Amino acid sequence: MANLPSENTIPIIDFSPYQSEDKRVALSETICNTLRTTGFFHLVNHGVSHDLVEEVFQKSRDFFNMPLEYKMGYLRPQGSVSLTGYNKIDQERLDPAVKMEVREAFDFIPTQVPHIERPPGFIDTLVKLDLASRDLALKVLHCFAIGLGLPDEHYFTKAHQAVAHPELESDSGNLFRTLYYPPFTPSQIDSGIVRCGTHSDYGSITLLFQDDVGGLEVESSVKGVFVPVTPVPTAVLINIGDLMARWTDDEFRSTRHRVLLNDPQRFTKARQSIPIFINPDGHTVIASLNGKSPKYPPILTRDYIMQRYAETY
Ligand SMILES: O=C(O)CCC(=O)C(=O)O
Ligand SMILES: [Fe+2]
């Protein structure tokens, strides 16, 4: 009988043991066990300032509340793989089967940080949160290698040099996004429109800060059965992407997720979230850690990630 997780079953993991070397192994094993089953976990005591996250939500709200003509001045060129700029409603599609995905986004990569006048300090706060999140992502990747018992505990971090050194960023596609899902009235709701279509993420790991509105759902161990993720105050939600699943030969699960427009309690409110997508360095060849009978042939990160972005934008 398949295991059907119910609401609140996304585990909450306390990251404070990471600080002490003798507690790190048990923490890493807990993290890896979660990745073998749910593929998602909440992390608390992670060291990223909650005030900073709140500031990014506030500044992002101020930006998204500006007139459309203003935001269009920063539009990310449509259909291009340029990864910086404003994304208007329906500019991208994570699930080709839906009619429309109703969200706005502002994206940047560290080598293409734009200058934006209003709201004041918008970009500075995003950059600060990006740096703090990268730092955390590297610690979490460190735990992956420990928990998997790899001979080199820095195996994954070494393959993510551009995460630690954003100036080296070339084509790994490490991407910071701030998302804004506008509110709806019940009469505006139409079948086939969603906030975020069903998808799995592309790279190594995703860190997601979300407000308290909720709406994110993740696929359970039963295909097609989704369970809600109840937001946990101050936590960052972490999941892995397809490239990490491939790297571990599907030992870790890259879980599909979505945000629908089916609950008036939620869709009448705006939702905000901040996903930070972490990928290996562009030149890294991802070859299965299961050397004996790998499911997937080796693939170059750059080719894989850029192909996935091209399909989305
Ligand atoms: O807004 C959310 O919670 C989901 C965002 C997401 O899954 C994504 O952008 O990949
Ligand atoms: Fe996602």
Side-chain angles (χ1 to χ4, degrees):
M1 177 68 193
N3 175 26
L4 244 192
S6 60
E7 191 153 6
N8 280 321
T9 54
I10 303 295
I12 301 176
I13 300 179
D14 178 359
F15 202 56
S16 36
Y18 182 81
Q19 303 305 330
S20 88
E21 224 168 295
D22 48 328
K23 295 189 184 143
R24 210 178 275 162
V25 175
L27 167 69
S28 301
E29 283 167 357
T30 305
I31 290 176
C32 288
N33 283 338
T34 304
L35 294 176
R36 291 183 183 102
T37 51
T38 334
F40 270 83
F41 59 93
H42 284 112
L43 199 65
V44 293
N45 297 321
H46 46 68
V48 177
S49 155
H50 183 59
D51 288 350
L52 177 59
V53 174
E54 286 299 315
E55 207 181 326
V56 171
F57 278 133
Q58 179 60 56
K59 299 265 186 216
S60 300
R61 209 153 44 236
D62 293 347
F63 175 81
F64 290 115
N65 283 332
M66 301 285 267
L68 183 61
E69 312 81 76
Y70 173 77
K71 295 182 283 187
M72 290 298 276
Y74 299 104
L75 191 69
R76 186 177 54 70
Q78 198 142 15
S80 90
V81 287
S82 156
L83 293 175
T84 284
Y86 168 68
N87 296 262
K88 61 183 164 54
I89 286 173
D90 199 27
Q91 189 166 342
E92 57 188 16
R93 204 68 62 85
L94 289 167
D95 178 1
V98 297
K99 218 189 301 180
M100 195 193 287
E101 299 190 20
V102 189
R103 67 175 168 271
E104 297 176 77
F106 188 87
D107 301 348
F108 79 88
I109 60 170
T111 46
Q112 297 173 3
V113 178
H115 177 72
I116 295 198
E117 292 280 333
R118 283 170 300 145
F122 175 45
I123 296 298
D124 290 351
T125 52
L126 302 193
V127 169
K128 267 193 221 159
L129 183 59
D130 184 40
L131 290 175
S133 304
R134 285 163 176 261
D135 202 44
L136 174 60
L138 290 168
K139 292 176 182 161
V140 173
L141 285 167
H142 184 199
C143 291
F144 285 12
I146 297 173
L148 283 170
L150 299 186
D152 179 2
E153 66 178 75
H154 301 292
Y155 178 82
F156 290 124
T157 39
K158 282 179 186 163
H160 291 76
Q161 300 286 334
V163 175
H165 305 284
E167 69 284 1
L168 297 179
E169 182 66 58
S170 53
D171 43 13
S172 64
N174 286 309
L175 180 65
F176 183 102
R177 315 197 78 194
T178 175
L179 306 181
Y180 180 81
Y181 300 94
F184 275 76
T185 60
S187 65
Q188 289 172 314
I189 296 294
D190 179 10
S191 65
I193 65 168
V194 297
R195 283 190 153 162
C196 179
T198 304
H199 68 284
S200 51
D201 292 343
Y202 310 158
S204 306
I205 58 176
T206 306
L207 278 62
L208 183 97
F209 298 97
Q210 58 172 330
D211 66 13
D212 59 5
V213 172
L216 178 65
E217 299 177 336
V218 305
E219 193 168 36
S220 70
S221 53
V222 180
K223 196 168 182 333
V225 176
F226 284 74
V227 295
V229 178
T230 307
V232 172
T234 80
V236 57
L237 184 69
I238 297 186
N239 65 289
I240 65 143
D242 295 342
L243 214 43
M244 180 57 76
R246 205 178 156 115
W247 218 341
T248 63
D249 220 46
D250 289 338
E251 182 173 338
F252 287 172
R253 177 166 170 229
S254 176
T255 306
R256 297 197 304 162
H257 48 285
R258 68 186 186 191
V259 185
L260 301 183
L261 278 166
N262 57 356
D263 177 355
Q265 299 273 4
R266 297 206 165 99
F267 68 61
T268 49
K269 296 180 189 150
R271 166 180 168 79
Q272 283 186 268
S273 68
I274 308 163
I276 297 131
F277 299 100
I278 302 291
N279 301 322
D281 296 321
H283 60 262
T284 305
V285 174
I286 305 302
S288 169
L289 289 166
N290 171 8
K292 284 178 233 121
S293 51
K295 281 192 194 168
Y296 307 100
I299 191 161
L300 190 64
T301 297
R302 162 189 311 132
D303 293 350
Y304 183 82
I305 294 292
M306 293 307 157
Q307 174 63 28
R308 294 292 298 268
Y309 281 149
E311 285 163 12
T312 312
Y313 290 139

